[in-house]
Amino acid sequence: MIVEERENKIILKDIIDFDPVHILDCGQCFRWTKEEDGSYTGVAKGKILNVRKNDNEIILDNTNISDFENIWYDYFDLARDYSSIKKELASHDENLRAAVDFGWGIRILQQDAWEMLISFIISSNNRIPMIQRAINNISERYGDKLGEYKGKTYYSFPTPEQLSKASIEELRDCKTGFRDKYIFSTTRDVIDNKLDMQDFIDMNSATCHKELMKFKGVGAKVSDCIALFGMGKYDSFPVDVWVKRVMQEFYNAEDMSLLKMRKYGMDLFGEKAGFAQQYLFYYVREMEIGK
């Protein structure tokens, strides 16, 4: 990969295993919006960024080499060899090979753990447009104004201290639905017990999963999503309606409960279960397999 800085842009040349559509539309993040020109604009780590693919180049707009090295290189997981991961997963079975080929440009983003905790509580039994609206409402009301990009104002996701200023009624007014009380309770737990998200990151996967489920509104699937997308627990295996179809259609798991399906997936794919889940999830959802 060749990195060039040019007029408030970073150009990534000869980069492989990177497609913004696959990465930003595969269900792992909620603060990226697809623009009319096919690019994506989003907020992460307190920065506004636009990402687009132009032939064999990835163009990161509204940034510089310092932010690329200190933020975006890790955020987009550019140090990881996804070619070897895909090769290993593709050798597992023909269905996973098809999923890897279909979602060849997926990378698992390294997102903020606190933001993922609240975001995936909001995601429970919810549709992506509604999740995005609630998160944007919360950010606009309680986060910091970051500035404008192409005429639109963007806000950071609020810290626990900032979000603790919101009442249950005010959270409900942000269109969070029944999850308002869970967000309120979780924020109070973090503040009152002086919890540090880094402590969860430092836990082993099993302990992290168990501890996350102590927060109200965090079940097994939500816990796995938080652990996978915000805490680097790549052996996590979130099971939602799409992954349930995957396991039933491809892996003979018709009679399993969701918890047994989760363990089966973790045992089946091992330490790379999270990567397998993302390729399979994106494949079955986009292809509408099992509907």
Side-chain angles (χ1 to χ4, degrees), residues 251-266:
Y251 298 104
N252 302 313
E254 293 88 346
D255 299 324
M256 290 186 184
S257 67
L258 295 184
L259 286 178
K260 286 184 178 179
M261 210 172 280
R262 171 184 181 267
K263 184 179 185 304
Y264 180 45
M266 293 173 70

Side-chain angles (χ1 to χ4, degrees), residues 30-264:
F30 304 113
R31 299 216 62 199
W32 292 87
T33 302
K34 193 170 187 177
E35 307 286 3
E36 291 184 1
D37 64 0
S39 68
Y40 288 80
T41 304
V43 174
K45 311 292 185 179
K47 300 287 183 177
I48 307 166
L49 188 73
N50 178 270
V51 183
R52 65 184 173 93
K53 191 175 189 296
N54 183 23
D55 295 328
N56 293 323
E57 296 179 348
I58 298 296
I59 300 171
L60 308 180
D61 188 32
N62 198 43
T63 191
N64 54 54
I65 193 65
S66 177
D67 281 351
F68 173 74
E69 292 174 346
N70 294 311
I71 299 174
W72 304 120
Y73 185 81
D74 287 338
Y75 180 79
F76 287 110
D77 207 21
L78 295 177
R80 197 178 307 277
D81 183 357
Y82 276 78
S83 291
S84 64
I85 290 173
K86 291 191 293 183
K87 183 177 180 180
E88 179 180 340
L89 293 177
S91 68
H92 189 278
D93 63 80
E94 62 181 19
N95 293 308
L96 190 47
R97 181 184 300 111
V100 165
D101 288 344
F102 182 81
W104 60 267
I106 288 175
R107 286 176 175 267
I108 295 182
L109 301 172
Q110 296 190 22
Q111 301 179 80
D112 179 76
W114 161 249
E115 183 174 342
M116 291 300 96
L117 174 58
I118 299 300
S119 295
F120 277 98
I121 287 175
I122 293 172
S123 78
S124 180
N125 296 313
N126 209 352
R127 295 182 295 111
I128 286 180
M130 304 301 289
I131 301 167
Q132 291 177 321
R133 182 174 70 167
I135 292 172
N136 287 335
N137 287 340
I138 285 174
S139 298
E140 183 172 345
R141 292 194 189 187
Y142 303 104
D144 294 324
K145 182 178 178 180
L146 299 176
E148 294 187 0
Y149 179 80
K150 294 187 176 179
K152 183 178 178 180
T153 304
Y154 291 86
Y155 299 83
S156 66
F157 191 81
T159 64
E161 291 76 16
Q162 289 174 319
L163 194 55
S164 69
K165 298 173 183 176
S167 66
I168 293 178
E169 292 74 22
E170 288 168 335
L171 289 168
R172 184 179 305 129
D173 194 46
C174 289
K175 309 303 181 185
T176 60
F178 67 86
R179 307 154 199 88
D180 51 9
K181 56 186 178 293
Y182 301 146
I183 300 167
F184 182 84
S185 172
T186 295
T187 304
R188 290 264 41 106
D189 281 348
V190 170
I191 293 292
D192 295 343
N193 298 310
K194 296 180 171 60
L195 299 180
D196 187 341
M197 291 298 105
Q198 185 60 46
D199 292 339
F200 291 85
I201 294 170
D202 293 340
M203 295 172 186
N204 64 47
S205 294
T207 302
C208 179
H209 179 76
K210 181 179 178 181
E211 291 299 311
L212 284 171
M213 287 201 296
K214 291 181 179 180
F215 292 113
K216 290 183 179 179
V218 177
K221 179 257 182 178
V222 167
S223 177
D224 274 329
C225 287
I226 298 164
L228 177 59
F229 303 129
M231 297 177 174
K233 309 303 183 189
Y234 297 112
D235 56 349
S236 302
F237 194 76
V239 179
D240 69 346
V241 62
W242 294 108
V243 176
K244 178 182 177 182
R245 290 174 185 171
V246 164
M247 301 306 288
Q248 291 174 332
E249 289 283 326
F250 297 159
Y251 298 104
N252 302 313
E254 293 88 346
D255 299 324
M256 290 186 184
S257 67
L258 295 184
L259 286 178
K260 286 184 178 179
M261 210 172 280
R262 171 184 181 267
K263 184 179 185 304
Y264 180 45

